[in-house]
Amino acid sequence: MAKISKVVKNEERKRKVALWAERRAALKKIINDPKSTTEQVDEAVIKLQKMPRDASPVRVRNRCSQTGRPRGYLRKFGISRVALRELALEGQIPGVVKSSW
């Protein structure tokens, strides 16, 4: 089980990313537009740099919904490999069975 503080901090990051998404997208559009002047690009870069670090979607970490574990995360199920194994052995995940040969 992950520390609760880490899970809470990650949730706060998700909230900030959603809050700043439109503004970041607008600035990124100005920066990447070939028709923008150098002054516009420089101004947009400065504004982008002044935004909170946690507003960047790269800083959000995928975590297991069951345990909060940050490593061994499987996107298809939204849980870690450890939790997947436990749930699969209990028969809680439809269509997943333990292999044997």
Side-chain angles (χ1 to χ4, degrees):
M1 187 74 180
K3 286 173 60 173
I4 301 299
S5 61
K6 293 287 188 182
V7 175
V8 170
K9 184 180 270 191
N10 200 47
E11 292 302 318
E12 181 66 22
R13 282 185 178 143
K14 286 180 185 177
R15 191 188 63 75
K16 270 193 182 175
V17 166
L19 183 70
W20 289 85
E22 283 185 31
R23 289 176 260 192
R24 282 184 65 84
L27 291 173
K28 291 273 200 176
K29 188 175 182 182
I30 292 170
I31 293 168
N32 293 327
D33 187 13
K35 296 177 184 174
S36 298
T37 65
T38 309
E39 292 81 21
Q40 289 175 329
V41 171
D42 290 342
E43 184 181 334
V45 167
I46 290 170
K47 284 183 180 178
L48 192 64
Q49 288 175 346
K50 289 191 178 190
M51 285 186 177
R53 284 186 177 180
D54 285 346
S56 174
V58 173
R59 291 177 63 96
V60 175
R61 180 77 189 217
N62 287 333
R63 289 187 172 268
C64 175
S65 60
Q66 305 275 316
T67 61
R69 180 182 166 89
R71 307 233 176 169
Y73 177 82
L74 302 170
R75 285 185 188 179
K76 184 174 182 177
F77 299 101
I79 56 178
S80 68
R81 60 181 178 79
V82 178
L84 176 74
R85 180 180 167 89
E86 290 173 1
L87 292 174
L89 288 175
E90 293 172 6
Q92 299 292 323
I93 304 174
V96 176
V97 292
K98 186 177 183 211
S99 66
S100 58
W101 62 87

